[in-house]
Amino acid sequence: MRVIVKNSVILLFLSLIVACKSSDTYKNTLADGELLIAAQLQLTDVIIHDIFSPPVASRIYAYSSIAAFEVAALADPSYQSFGGQLRGFELTGYDVPAEVDFSLAALAAYYKVSTALIFSEDMMDTHRDGVFATLRKQGMPKKLFENSVALGHAVADHVIAYSKTDNYHESRSFEKYSISNDPHSWQPTPPHYMEGIEPHWNKIRTLVIEKPDQFISEPATPFSTEPGTQFYEEAMEVFTVTQSMTQEQKDIAYFWDCNPYKVNIKGHVMFAEKKITPGGHWMGIASIASKTAGQDWKGMAETLAYTSIALFDAFIACWDEKYRSVLIRPETYINKYIDEDWLPLLQTPPFPEYTSGHSVASNAAAEALTKLFGEPFHFVDSTEVAYGLPIREFDSFRHAADEAAISRLYGGIHYMPAIVHGSTKGKKLGEYIKNQVETRSGLAENVEVVGK
């Protein structure tokens, strides 16, 4: 089964539905997860537009998705609230009207939380207003609409209040990363030599793991510039692999690039290129998996929330290691000690090398999705189609995570230890979250294959 999710297609679908005269049309529109997919895709567009870093993007996705899921837990007793399961997130009571549509409430909660966490609020507001107007035109009663939105906003307010206690706002005023002159230390890389991104991200409150270094990685290979030493050979591996790659390896690198800071320089002109974050890519995969499995809106909310929670903690754990080891990037090392003219296939992102963010986040997300959908699970990843890249197909989420991890070697972004140990960290973190957080009673891994 091939599922290609694209915002323009969804909005066209909604506009066609408006032509339907039945007063119950809105019920069908709200029944599945299409509207949550549309909201999530719009949020991704805004995150790209506002150029949020991968860690910050994971925070936006997580709180927005948690809000939508909390409504699902109100709607269906088989779903279990995150209250008491996430660190510092308390159960609370809500005044639930007798006349309410929970699916609209979930959507309203998602829009309100996401809008509170971005810069370009008007982009989300315009999208929300268009969707809400469609539902009203399809015959949704005014009282039902208002009650549902009010409930969604009440849930959103609780989640927004929770988000304000995670130390994010305080961290905006923390000191910037100070560049070290130590030979092994990370240095800003071309072409724009940006300062280190989010050096204090390990001070953000985690959602599930007990502390950022709970799954601390082995130390990076001891630095050396001497030929024949382990570190030198790891750099040579990056250099050698990128010199003779197959087209398939290049395709894999480009597909998983996900660098929101990529810039192009032509003459004296510098301009940014539209890129999704690694977390955004996996949230896209989560939507595709849910749609492939034929989930309703509650299942979609569960899938987005579970995946985003894994991503949130993964970036905290990964950034904790990055700014502990502050290891030099292959581009800097190779240019200085091996070949001054060498360029990586991909543009190096602006933060230290060890461990690989793609490896940690992808494996954490893959473990979360495997718990929900089992293994094998065949899906078509169309996430990058909107950004000019083709689809890729995978037989499991772990298969996709393995490819995302090795793509960083092909791109010239990481040495192999960052990939290997990053993958281990992500798997351990994902496994821990699977054991600590339950969204449904009796939810088991390795369920019957769906979507194949």
Side-chain angles (χ1 to χ4, degrees), residues 4-36:
I4 298 179
V5 178
K6 200 169 183 180
N7 225 4
S8 59
V9 174
I10 294 171
L11 293 178
L12 175 60
F13 167 74
L14 291 175
S15 66
L16 291 174
I17 287 179
V18 173
C20 217
K21 301 300 182 182
S22 170
S23 62
D24 288 339
T25 302
Y26 73 89
K27 295 180 181 179
N28 294 329
T29 304
L30 286 164
D32 57 25
E34 292 285 359
L35 292 183
L36 269 177

Side-chain angles (χ1 to χ4, degrees), residues 12 53 148 292 324 344 351:
L12 175 60
S53 68
S148 304
T292 299
R324 177 184 299 106
F351 32 80

Side-chain angles (χ1 to χ4, degrees), residues 130-151:
V131 171
F132 285 2
T134 295
L135 293 171
R136 294 288 287 124
K137 289 177 182 177
Q138 289 176 349
M140 189 170 201
K142 182 180 179 182
K143 186 63 174 177
L144 177 61
F145 176 86
E146 291 176 346
N147 286 351
S148 304
V149 171
L151 176 61

Side-chain angles (χ1 to χ4, degrees), residues 124-135:
M124 285 303 289
D125 287 344
T126 300
H127 193 271
R128 176 205 62 203
D129 292 347
V131 171
F132 285 2
T134 295
L135 293 171

